[in-house]
């Protein structure tokens, strides 16, 4: 017997009662989520700091987790009635007298699986979309962020309706068992490696899914640049949360001359942000576990250490590090860095940079820095990535109006703001006709004639705009 079968059956039974469908119910659950964020704010920030071994007064946790999630809840509450409305669509002549619309139907029972790096945001932001769309939900927090996981498992059920919502804890074994059950939608955030496992499990039940994955995000820096401003923004995006950010610039790509001009600015930004000894900075985080620490320390053998390079295993600390002159074949250019090491890969010119980016798997986001907007636009036009940002790094993700998600190897689907609602919503194309007026319908019934055919085609065909029908 599957250990989660009973839980999934209970949620499905509630789903079938229609309890989660009314707007008032959804609003009530979203308000409860807001109360959870407000009342348990300090516990959440404390748990986050324990997991990430941060000692700062919560700046990164507040910005990236609590405030970020609160914005999503508020945005959903502000717009829910509008999002839920049936959407009228255009009609052909045959259906002119009828109602044709898209009904925003919940999927049913959905599951959300989160990674460790932003354990609140990446669990609750999808949850906002799932609740707003009217689903029953199981959430599975990241087991690696164990303090946050425990808090979420204990506290969230005190706020949300236990008939429609549940937390499941554990790691790969538990997820494997959980996904043996049939869900109506799976929302997964994590590595491409595990993404493939999740997609395989979803395929067994033909379950639709979203995959929010990782990858190597290129950051092109042009020769025409305000190097200090670029360095500040790159350093902030890269070393926020000690580099454990899926949308962090993974590597800088530029010419060797630009590397030389950028390097002192990167050094200055790191010193200004974290001081001469970043290990003592209250604002610089640590790696989540020993496995990740060792994986990252091995990268320090690549290229040439130009800035940082110190590490302390007992503290799971790796200094904010910049590696110059890395080679394409070195391990750091083969896998996602996901830590506080920024490799710089040099190329001959812009076209070579674009060619390099396009030869690799498509990233979650691509960044380009230049004072010449033609250059930024050229990178935007000639590359493909889940998202794109010119002249800044991770700040774009705070816009609830932008879809957030990958393409190809970096993921499938998108969320944030209304895109989250749409992700957890089945767009149910609907046509409602009246029972009478049968004379109009005879045109499509046998016995067929050439006259009926021409008439029916004229009623249902979509014509090319601007084409003269007489010719
Ligand atoms: P991960 O893939 O190891 O784990 C993610 C989740 O999957 C966890 O809840 C874990 O319990 C579960 N899991 C792990 N192994 C499993 C298995 N064999 N079978 C079933 N479930 C399993 O990811 P992580 O190390 O927690 O997070 C880092 C990765 O997530 C990076 O690749 C990063 O880029 C990516 N990420 C992507 C986004 C995004 O929005 N696209 C956001 C954050 C992180």
């Amino acid at each position: 017997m599957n250990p989660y079968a009973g839980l999934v059956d209970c949620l499905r039974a509630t789903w079938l009662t229609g309890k989660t469908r009314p707007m008032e119910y959804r609003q009530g659950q979203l308000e409860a989520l807001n109360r959870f964020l407000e009342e348990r704010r300090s516990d959440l920030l404390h748990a986050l700091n324990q997991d990430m071994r941060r000692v700062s007064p919560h700046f990164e946790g507040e910005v990236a987790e609590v405030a970020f999630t609160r914005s999503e809840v508020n945005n959903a509450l502000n717009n829910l009635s509008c999002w839920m409305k049936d959407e009228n669509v255009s009609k052909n002549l045959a259906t002119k007298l009828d109602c044709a619309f898209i009904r925003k139907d919940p999927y049913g029972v959905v599951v959300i699986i989160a990674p460790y790096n932003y354990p609140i945001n990446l669990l609750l932001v999808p949850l906002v979309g799932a609740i707003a769309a009217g689903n029953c939900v199981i959430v599975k927090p990241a087991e690696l962020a164990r303090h946050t996981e425990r808090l979420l498992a204990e506290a969230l059920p005190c706020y949300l309706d236990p008939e429609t919502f549940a937390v499941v804890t554990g790691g790969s074994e538990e997820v494997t068992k959980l996904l043996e059950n049939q869900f109506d939608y799976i929302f997964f955030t994590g590595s491409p490696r595990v993404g493939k496992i999740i997609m395989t499990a979803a395929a067994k039940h033909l379950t639709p899914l979203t995959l929010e994955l990782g990858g190597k995000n290129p950051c092109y820096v042009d020769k025409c640049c305000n190097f200090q401003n670029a360095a500040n923004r790159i350093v902030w995006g890269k070393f926020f949360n000690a580099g454990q950010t899926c949308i962090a610039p993974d590597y800088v790509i530029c010419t060797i001359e630009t590397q030389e001009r950028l390097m002192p600015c990167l050094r200055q930004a790191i010193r200004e942000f974290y001081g001469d000894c970043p290990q003592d900075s209250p604002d610089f985080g640590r790696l989540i576990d020993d496995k990740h620490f060792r994986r990252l320390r091995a990268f320090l053998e690549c290229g040439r250490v130009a800035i940082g390079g110190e590490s302390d295993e007992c503290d799971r600390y790796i200094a904010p590090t910049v590696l110059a002159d890395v080679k394409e074949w070195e391990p750091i250019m083969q896998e996602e860095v996901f830590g506080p090491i920024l490799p710089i890969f040099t190329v001959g010119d812009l076209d070579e940079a674009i060619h390099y980016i396009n030869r690799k798997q498509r990233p979650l986001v691509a960044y380009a820095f230049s004072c010449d907007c033609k250059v930024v636009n050229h990178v935007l036009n000639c590359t493909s990535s889940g998202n794109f940002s010119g002249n800044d790094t991770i700040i774009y993700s705070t816009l609830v109006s932008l879809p957030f998600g990958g393409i190809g190897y970096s993921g499938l689907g998108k969320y944030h703001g209304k895109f989250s609602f749409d992700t957890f919503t089945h767009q149910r194309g609907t046509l409602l006709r009246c029972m009478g007026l049968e004379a109009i319908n005879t045109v499509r019934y046998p016995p067929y004639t050439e006259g009926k055919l021409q008439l029916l085609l004229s009623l249902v065909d979509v014509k090319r705009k601007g084409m003269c029908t007489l010719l």
Side-chain angles (χ1 to χ4, degrees):
M1 180 69 180
N2 184 288
Y4 303 106
L7 173 64
V8 178
D9 284 349
C10 280
L11 291 183
R12 190 165 296 288
T14 311
W15 152 249
L16 289 172
T17 66
K19 185 177 187 182
T20 54
R21 286 181 181 260
M23 183 171 71
E24 295 68 26
Y25 180 81
R26 306 181 196 191
Q27 284 167 332
Q29 294 299 295
L30 290 171
E31 298 283 13
L33 200 52
N34 247 354
R35 268 200 310 284
F36 166 71
L37 291 171
E38 199 182 306
E39 290 172 9
R40 307 306 296 264
R41 179 179 163 275
S42 61
D43 298 336
L44 287 167
L45 292 171
H46 182 64
L48 281 170
N49 281 4
Q50 282 180 298
D51 286 329
M52 292 304 178
R53 293 218 194 151
R54 273 191 300 248
V55 285
S56 88
H58 309 317
F59 186 96
E60 294 191 352
E62 178 74 56
V63 170
E65 307 255 29
V66 179
F68 196 107
T69 309
R70 198 173 43 230
S71 293
E72 286 280 345
V73 178
N74 290 339
N75 186 52
L77 282 166
N78 293 343
N79 294 290
L80 189 59
S81 63
C82 173
W83 294 347
M84 284 178 66
K85 279 203 182 87
D86 289 342
E87 198 177 308
N88 288 329
V89 296
S90 62
K91 291 174 280 186
N92 56 25
L93 281 174
T95 53
K96 255 302 173 252
L97 302 174
D98 307 316
C99 289
F101 57 88
I102 301 167
R103 167 59 54 92
K104 309 298 173 61
D105 249 4
Y107 267 105
V109 182
V110 306
V111 62
I112 296 169
I113 301 164
Y116 76 82
N117 57 325
Y118 293 99
I120 297 169
N121 172 332
L122 297 170
L123 191 80
L124 299 190
V125 171
L127 176 64
V128 171
I131 291 175
N135 297 283
C136 290
V137 194
I138 291 179
V139 291
K140 209 298 285 176
E143 75 284 15
L144 283 186
R146 57 194 176 89
H147 296 94
T148 318
E149 180 202 36
R150 195 180 316 125
L151 178 63
L152 289 166
E154 283 168 13
L156 255 187
C158 305
Y159 290 81
L160 297 175
D161 181 354
E163 283 192 0
T164 61
F165 168 85
V167 184
V168 163
T169 55
S172 62
E173 213 175 292
E174 287 76 9
V175 176
T176 305
K177 286 271 169 233
L178 184 63
L179 295 186
E180 283 170 9
N181 297 281
Q182 181 162 3
F183 286 95
D184 300 307
Y185 202 91
I186 299 171
F187 190 103
F188 171 80
T189 307
S191 58
R193 181 187 70 79
V194 179
K196 289 179 193 171
I197 296 171
I198 303 293
M199 199 165 186
T200 306
K204 290 212 177 93
H205 295 290
L206 293 177
T207 304
L209 83 167
T210 291
L211 296 174
E212 295 283 340
L213 309 177
K216 292 189 76 65
N217 306 316
C219 179
Y220 175 74
V221 180
D222 192 38
K223 61 176 184 295
C224 169
C225 211
N226 180 327
F227 287 100
Q228 194 54 62
N229 288 356
N232 293 344
R233 296 168 197 193
I234 293 169
V235 165
W236 185 65
K238 179 69 186 186
F239 299 114
F240 195 98
N241 205 26
Q244 297 161 107
T245 305
C246 57
I247 55 171
D250 185 89
Y251 62 96
V252 164
I253 184 163
C254 61
T255 62
I256 196 141
E257 296 78 23
T258 298
Q259 175 181 265
E260 297 319 307
R261 295 188 64 188
L262 184 63
M263 197 63 80
C265 300
L266 291 170
R267 191 172 290 114
Q268 184 174 331
I270 290 171
R271 191 179 302 120
E272 270 181 21
F273 293 1
Y274 307 113
D276 287 328
C277 180
Q279 193 166 6
D280 297 336
S281 163
D283 300 325
F284 187 69
R286 300 293 185 264
L287 300 170
I288 190 76
D289 67 3
D290 295 342
K291 195 178 112 213
H292 281 277
F293 172 84
R294 289 193 203 109
R295 180 182 68 79
L296 279 149
R297 190 176 53 186
F299 284 153
L300 296 173
E301 303 299 318
C302 304
R304 160 174 68 84
V305 174
I307 302 172
E310 304 83 13
S311 63
D312 177 351
E313 185 156 9
C314 298
D315 193 19
R316 293 202 303 265
Y317 165 79
I318 290 188
T321 296
V322 180
L323 301 177
D325 306 324
V326 295
K327 299 286 176 282
E328 182 174 353
W329 47 264
E330 290 187 285
I332 198 158
M333 291 307 287
Q334 303 300 316
E335 36 173 304
E336 181 182 12
V337 178
F338 215 62
I341 306 176
L342 179 67
I344 303 186
F345 179 65
T346 57
V347 285
D349 56 19
L350 171 59
D351 285 341
E352 204 185 308
I354 287 172
H355 183 65
Y356 178 84
I357 293 167
N358 287 340
R359 271 197 292 122
K360 302 292 166 187
Q361 295 289 3
R362 285 191 270 180
L364 190 54
V365 54
Y367 298 115
F369 284 83
S370 176
C371 292
D372 183 348
C373 61
K374 281 203 225 70
V375 171
V376 172
N377 273 311
H378 189 63
V379 181
L380 172 60
N381 293 337
C382 297
T383 60
S384 172
S385 56
N387 290 99
F388 180 87
S389 176
N391 291 330
D392 211 332
T393 53
I394 60 177
I395 198 76
Y396 79 90
S397 66
T398 59
L399 276 179
V400 292
S401 47
L402 284 179
F404 180 95
I407 177 170
Y409 222 72
S410 58
L412 176 73
K414 50 196 175 300
Y415 74 128
H416 285 189
K418 178 160 188 296
F419 302 98
S420 301
F421 175 86
D422 289 343
T423 285
F424 287 102
T425 295
H426 168 59
Q427 305 217 355
R428 193 176 186 190
T430 305
L431 175 69
L432 301 181
R433 311 203 75 195
C434 69
M435 281 295 289
L437 302 173
E438 191 61 357
I440 302 173
N441 292 319
T442 54
V443 62
R444 61 185 151 105
Y445 299 149
Y448 297 136
T449 64
E450 188 56 28
K452 280 184 173 183
L453 176 64
Q454 292 311 321
L455 186 55
L456 183 61
L457 291 179
S458 71
L459 292 175
V460 298
D461 258 10
V462 176
K463 305 277 184 303
R464 256 318 275 288
K465 273 188 184 152
M467 296 283 275
C468 176
T469 48
L470 294 175
L471 293 178

